[in-house]
Amino acid sequence: MDNKRRFALVGTGNRGTTMWGKDLLAGWRGQVDLVAIADTNALRAERARTMIATNAPIYGNVDAMLAEARPDLVIVCTPDSTHDDIVVRALEAGADVITEKPMSTTVEKIRRILDAEKRTGRRVDVSFNYRFAPTAARIKELLNSGEIGRVTSVDFHWYLDTEHGADYFRRWHAYTERSGSLFVHKATHHFDLLNWYLDSDPDAVTAFADLQMYGRKGPFRGPRCKLCPHKNDCDFYLDLEADPFLDALYEDPSEIDGYFRDGCVFREDIDIPDTMVANIRYRNNVQVSYSLNTFQPIEGHHIAFNGTKGRIELRQYEDQPWETPAEDVILLVRNFPKGRPGVERIVVPHSSGGHYGGDDRLRNMLFKPDATDPLGQRAGARAGAMSVLCGIAALQSSRSGKLVRLADLMPELFRGRSRLCPRSATQISASAGRQ
């Protein structure tokens, strides 16, 4: 018991109950001990506790939980706009923090977290599990090896299908004040991958975004799916009772806080875009073309790195209306093969666990005592800040029509840093020597 992390779970929605509750205890019980659960909805917390299979005490107040349970680690799984307050309280109480992405939603909230981490000497980790997916790790290795020389541009396009994408518009994510928009909530994953892949910080962003399917663009609307008179005509109707897990976690608890898991995707007060594109210039001069679409018949992403010596390309299939292989294929294409294959197909089998094994590898990194990090996959508060700032800049640009520089949003994050991050400068020098 003395070697275990004594952790508290704050927020008992889907992610908290599974990834950081039931699944964490099931696979890492030798490394962690759940000592408290905190949630403002007592019924949801009770049901989550049963699902997690723990007898940890439940608290409705974070300060009381920190004072009485005295965890040395707090895992934050609440709505995005509340992260900063909980993270800061936990740090000031002497605990380290793991927060679900995004780390926060505004510049002021980011600054609060960074200041508290520096002041207290505690650590914040951000749950960027996509870094840990086997295919992402293999791409990072290829980039680090200099196989395609110096990266000059990236094409990155993410597709959410009409089940996954619509779900953001049923929930609290549909409001900028709570999620920062999907440029922050969802794209923070993607921007962090880019920052990590390229070993550099985003410098400037221009973006366009619009609401084209959901919200006020819908043909009709109702109070919620369960009570909607249009349920027989709506392509987005969600039968919550058909999912016992979601029904138990959200339906009866909604009587306490009024939060319905099957909110109408056509609510007129939805204020986030559902169709987004952005151009990003990095401080090492890499140019990125990015898009996020939320109502496609396919799920997955396409990414390609264009370099001075070749190209790395991946089309990852997550959910398609046709059969796809149980593996990813990375294409390594060389400009000048010189006796080597013009194209290599690098097969990466899918691993068990969420995000193709990324969830398990993230938890191993955070909790296994012998974990090493040769690829720099573990993400701290600065990484969390940079991905959020990129999303904030994209949303601002889409609304103003102007280019937004990240250093103008938060100058202190860029002071004293060269335009080339240390590892990037080393890699570019090595790549130049091989050309």
Side-chain angles (χ1 to χ4, degrees):
M1 287 292 294
D2 291 343
N3 295 324
K4 291 185 178 183
R5 298 301 304 270
R6 301 178 68 259
F7 81 97
L9 176 64
V10 183
T12 55
N14 188 343
R15 190 71 172 166
T17 301
T18 56
M19 169 75 175
W20 298 113
K22 179 180 178 181
D23 297 345
L24 179 57
L25 288 185
W28 290 263
R29 193 174 292 275
Q31 290 78 41
V32 298
D33 183 28
L34 177 57
V35 298
I37 294 173
D39 199 300
T40 55
N41 189 309
L43 180 55
R44 182 174 300 122
E46 289 176 7
R47 293 194 171 176
R49 178 168 65 176
T50 299
M51 294 173 182
I52 294 170
T54 178
N55 59 1
I58 293 172
Y59 294 85
N61 180 278
V62 171
D63 290 330
M65 178 274 291
L66 291 170
E68 295 177 20
R70 302 183 66 82
D72 58 62
L73 173 68
V74 174
I75 301 180
V76 181
C77 302
T78 57
D80 304 341
S81 62
T82 67
H83 286 183
D84 66 305
D85 195 43
I86 299 165
V87 170
V88 170
R89 291 185 192 186
L91 294 173
E92 291 178 341
D96 294 324
V97 173
I98 298 170
T99 180
E100 266 297 331
K101 58 82 191 166
M103 188 175 77
S104 193
T105 55
T106 69
V107 170
E108 293 74 18
K109 292 174 183 289
I110 293 171
R111 187 173 283 122
R112 282 194 71 203
I113 292 173
L114 294 177
D115 288 347
E117 185 185 45
K118 182 178 180 180
R119 184 176 69 253
T120 62
R122 309 310 302 179
R123 178 181 178 115
V124 176
D125 280 286
V126 185
S127 178
F128 285 130
N129 45 7
Y130 274 123
R131 289 189 181 197
F132 292 84
T135 301
R138 188 70 185 96
I139 288 175
K140 179 66 170 174
E141 290 171 347
L142 290 170
L143 292 171
N144 286 355
S145 73
E147 280 284 358
I148 62 169
R150 177 173 56 84
V151 177
T152 57
S153 67
V154 183
D155 309 311
F156 194 10
H157 308 291
W158 205 282
Y159 316 107
L160 297 173
D161 64 19
T162 51
E163 179 180 351
H164 187 182
D167 225 25
Y168 293 112
F169 294 85
R170 296 187 180 101
R171 300 179 284 163
W172 53 263
H173 310 72
Y175 304 104
T176 303
E177 184 177 4
R178 303 201 73 189
S179 69
S181 84
L182 294 184
F183 263 138
V184 171
H185 175 83
K186 184 62 180 176
T188 187
H189 257 324
H190 313 151
F191 296 148
D192 176 71
L193 275 177
L194 287 167
N195 300 345
W196 175 62
Y197 280 142
L198 299 175
D199 276 320
S200 185
D201 294 332
D203 177 44
V205 180
T206 60
F208 295 93
D210 199 3
L211 187 65
Q212 302 202 35
M213 172 65 80
Y214 304 110
R216 61 185 178 277
K217 296 300 179 71
F220 43 67
R221 52 201 45 83
R224 53 178 298 205
C225 288
K226 186 174 183 177
L227 304 176
C228 186
H230 307 288
K231 63 177 65 176
N232 293 328
D233 302 312
C234 183
D235 292 328
F236 294 99
Y237 170 68
L238 173 67
D239 182 3
L240 200 61
E241 293 182 356
D243 189 327
F245 171 76
L246 292 181
D247 188 61
L249 205 56
Y250 293 101
E251 182 56 28
D252 292 340
S254 69
E255 297 178 6
I256 295 176
D257 57 16
Y259 174 55
F260 301 115
R261 184 59 178 74
D262 62 345
C264 179
V265 300
F266 299 134
R267 300 189 305 283
E268 291 188 347
D269 61 346
I270 288 174
D271 67 352
I272 66 169
D274 57 24
T275 306
M276 293 147 276
V277 298
N279 291 316
I280 308 165
R281 183 181 67 223
Y282 274 76
R283 290 169 67 83
N284 61 0
N285 294 323
V286 177
Q287 301 170 25
V288 174
S289 174
Y290 169 81
S291 68
L292 175 59
N293 297 275
T294 63
F295 47 90
Q296 298 302 300
I298 59 173
E299 177 93 6
H301 73 276
H302 174 263
I303 191 166
F305 300 85
N306 304 301
T308 55
K309 296 167 62 178
R311 174 180 168 96
I312 295 169
E313 183 171 357
L314 168 71
R315 171 68 172 96
Q316 187 172 68
Y317 301 97
E318 293 191 33
D319 191 8
Q320 269 63 222
W322 65 85
E323 187 175 349
T324 56
E327 57 194 19
D328 289 327
V329 179
I330 301 169
L331 299 180
L332 171 59
V333 190
R334 297 183 174 88
N335 287 351
F336 310 105
K338 295 182 179 179
R340 294 191 294 172
V343 58
E344 287 186 32
R345 290 173 171 82
I346 301 169
V347 177
V348 183
H350 292 169
S351 297
S352 60
H355 298 88
Y356 301 115
D359 287 357
D360 287 353
R361 286 164 171 79
L362 169 61
R363 286 178 292 222
N364 283 339
M365 179 69 71
L366 294 174
F367 298 113
K368 293 289 188 180
D370 58 347
T372 59
D373 192 13
L375 294 178
Q377 290 167 295
R378 187 171 181 178
R382 190 181 188 279
M386 292 308 305
S387 66
V388 173
L389 284 178
C390 196
I392 291 172
L395 185 65
Q396 284 191 9
S397 176
S398 71
R399 290 177 171 177
S400 69
K402 299 178 180 179
L403 179 146
V404 178
R405 298 179 185 275
L406 274 73
D408 292 338
L409 297 177
M410 203 167 178
E412 61 267 36
L413 275 184
F414 297 89
R415 293 192 188 112
R417 296 179 69 88
S418 65
R419 294 193 65 83
L420 295 179
C421 295
R423 189 183 298 176
S424 293
T426 301
Q427 286 177 242
I428 291 171
S429 176
S431 297
R434 285 191 292 267
Q435 288 180 327

